[in-house]
């Protein structure tokens, strides 16, 4: 069974540029998560989808961040415009359901904003 | 909100030594999870604990769900070089929207 796939693995951009990250969850997993991981810290949830519905986006900075999961499978996270402080690792995870189901993480996208 | 504090923050150990790390919270958790993250990769689940007092092993790893529900411990026996990485505890929130809270991590470095 293939794991969670993310691309790109690394991205370097200049501030004020837009950037997008893509995630394909494990087949059959209805719940998809985007996490932000700053250097030396644990992951923090940005947004959680159940199928195509964003059920928790309270931690997503909506002035510059957006996400979509149009067909309830793969998802895209976008930042526009990027700021220096957005440099971090963006992790995608998926689980079969929500409560009590193990979350499986992708390798992450490491973003560097110059 | 709920927070998880891990100690130690980092540790160097000799190959073959046993390792202990813990995770504490000021509030109760009903599930404790231990993840390991290798450099350049996402966290991988090692052990899940669902009941206060539960002791669970996965190979050389043993984790315990504290009886107060406010802490958990992870032990690694006979460490080897591939144990290098960051170990995170995590747990689902018990109030508000369901989500995982992750600890601050314990960085393990093994001296061969």
């Amino acid at each position: 069974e293939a794991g969670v796939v993310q691309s790109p693995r690394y991205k370097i951009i200049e501030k004020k540029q837009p950037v997008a990250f893509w995630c394909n969850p494990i087949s059959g997993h209805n719940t998809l998560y985007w996490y932000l991981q700053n250097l030396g810290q644990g992951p923090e949830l940005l947004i959680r989808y159940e199928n195509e519905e964003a059920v928790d986006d309270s931690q997503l900075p909506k002035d510059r961040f957006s996400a979509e999961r149009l067909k309830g499978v793969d998802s895209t996270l976008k930042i526009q415009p990027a700021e220096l402080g957005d440099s971090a690792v963006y992790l995608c995870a998926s689980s079969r359901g929500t409560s009590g189901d193990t979350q499986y993480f992708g390798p992450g996208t490491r973003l560097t904003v110059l | 909100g709920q927070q998880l504090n891990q100690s130690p923050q980092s540790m160097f150990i000799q190959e073959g030594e046993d390792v202990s790390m813990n995770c504490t919270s000021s509030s109760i958790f009903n599930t404790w999870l231990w993840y390991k993250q290798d450099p350049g990769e996402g966290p991988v689940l090692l052990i899940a604990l669902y009941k206060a007092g539960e002791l669970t092993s996965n190979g050389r790893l043993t984790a315990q769900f504290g009886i107060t529900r406010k802490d958990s411990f992870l032990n690694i026996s006979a460490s080897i070089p591939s144990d290098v990485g960051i170990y995170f505890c995590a747990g689902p929130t018990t109030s508000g929207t369901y989500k995982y809270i992750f600890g601050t991590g314990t960085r393990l470095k093994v001296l061969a």
Side-chain angles (χ1 to χ4, degrees):
Chain A
E1 180 181 82
V4 176
V5 179
Q6 290 188 248
S7 70
R9 292 294 308 274
Y10 304 92
K11 189 74 176 178
I12 301 174
I13 62 172
E14 295 192 343
K15 63 181 180 182
K16 299 185 182 179
Q17 294 298 307
V19 64
F21 315 124
W22 177 80
C23 172
N24 190 265
I26 293 172
S27 178
H29 281 197
N30 298 321
T31 306
L32 183 147
Y33 313 77
W34 282 102
Y35 285 87
L36 165 70
Q37 186 175 26
N38 286 307
L39 188 65
Q41 297 182 25
E44 298 174 38
L45 183 68
L46 288 173
I47 188 167
R48 173 168 63 95
Y49 282 93
E50 289 182 12
N51 299 304
E52 63 273 10
E53 182 183 358
V55 295
D56 182 4
D57 63 356
S58 57
Q59 303 291 92
L60 192 71
K62 298 181 186 61
D63 56 336
R64 297 183 301 108
F65 286 66
S66 64
E68 59 184 16
R69 193 185 185 199
L70 293 175
K71 296 182 180 178
V73 180
D74 56 349
S75 175
T76 303
L77 177 69
K78 298 178 181 176
I79 309 175
Q80 182 170 13
E83 296 179 352
L84 294 176
D86 296 332
S87 295
V89 175
Y90 292 83
L91 293 163
C92 179
S94 71
S95 62
R96 193 166 296 280
T98 304
S99 298
D101 286 347
T102 301
Q103 294 184 26
Y104 296 88
F105 284 82
T109 296
R110 180 176 295 277
L111 174 68
T112 301
V113 182
L114 303 175
Chain B
Q2 291 177 292
Q3 289 185 317
L4 294 174
N5 298 304
Q6 290 185 245
S7 67
Q9 281 189 321
S10 63
M11 54 195 313
F12 282 91
I13 60 169
Q14 290 284 344
E15 184 176 353
E17 285 184 349
D18 296 343
V19 176
S20 290
M21 60 188 79
N22 67 20
C23 183
T24 60
S25 174
S26 58
S27 55
I28 288 171
F29 279 79
N30 292 322
T31 299
W32 287 92
L33 307 162
W34 284 94
Y35 280 85
K36 182 189 178 213
Q37 187 172 25
D38 291 328
E41 299 296 330
V44 174
L45 182 66
L46 299 173
I47 292 178
L49 303 161
Y50 301 104
K51 207 163 57 171
E54 180 181 351
L55 187 72
T56 298
S57 293
N58 178 7
R60 293 179 296 105
L61 277 60
T62 302
Q64 184 163 23
F65 191 139
I67 205 75
T68 65
R69 295 189 168 190
K70 293 184 178 181
D71 56 10
S72 178
F73 305 87
L74 177 69
N75 296 313
I76 305 173
S77 62
S79 57
I80 58 178
S82 62
D83 290 334
V84 163
I86 306 175
Y87 292 80
F88 289 101
C89 61
T93 51
T94 54
S95 61
T97 308
Y98 177 90
K99 64 179 181 181
Y100 279 12
I101 302 295
F102 281 80
T104 48
T106 291
R107 185 181 297 272
L108 184 63
K109 301 180 183 181
V110 179
L111 302 174

